[in-house]
Amino acid sequence: MLNLKIVSPERIEFAGQVEMVRVPGTLGQFEILKDHAPIISTLQKGVVEYDGQQLEILGGFVEVQKNEVSLCVEKSE
């Protein structure tokens, strides 16, 4: 399992355990699964998907380290 935290300027959008996260990276969409290599990446406008949920974003950053996934995003209205 991954510990996912999604934060926007307004509030914490999600915090909990998930099986996978798919994010719209600047160089293309990619999926994060358990034991993913450490990474920091920028995000572009698109959809963040996690365990059947979707969140539209305008951009942001993602950091993955030791099954901890942190997203700092700007949400679409």
Side-chain angles (χ1 to χ4, degrees), residues 45-71:
K45 182 176 181 178
V47 177
V48 174
E49 297 177 55
Y50 54 97
D51 285 2
Q53 303 294 315
Q54 294 188 341
L55 177 68
E56 288 191 38
I57 64 168
L58 297 175
F61 296 90
V62 60
E63 178 182 14
V64 180
Q65 191 170 34
K66 297 181 181 173
N67 293 320
E68 300 280 334
V69 182
S70 300
L71 278 78

Side-chain angles (χ1 to χ4, degrees), residues 18-74:
V18 298
E19 291 285 333
M20 63 74 84
V21 183
R22 186 174 295 123
V23 295
T26 305
L27 298 176
Q29 187 178 60
F30 64 95
E31 194 170 282
I32 301 161
L33 300 170
K34 185 175 184 278
D35 297 327
H36 194 285
I39 187 173
I40 296 175
S41 178
T42 55
L43 302 175
Q44 65 182 2
K45 182 176 181 178
V47 177
V48 174
E49 297 177 55
Y50 54 97
D51 285 2
Q53 303 294 315
Q54 294 188 341
L55 177 68
E56 288 191 38
I57 64 168
L58 297 175
F61 296 90
V62 60
E63 178 182 14
V64 180
Q65 191 170 34
K66 297 181 181 173
N67 293 320
E68 300 280 334
V69 182
S70 300
L71 278 78
C72 181
V73 300
E74 183 178 352

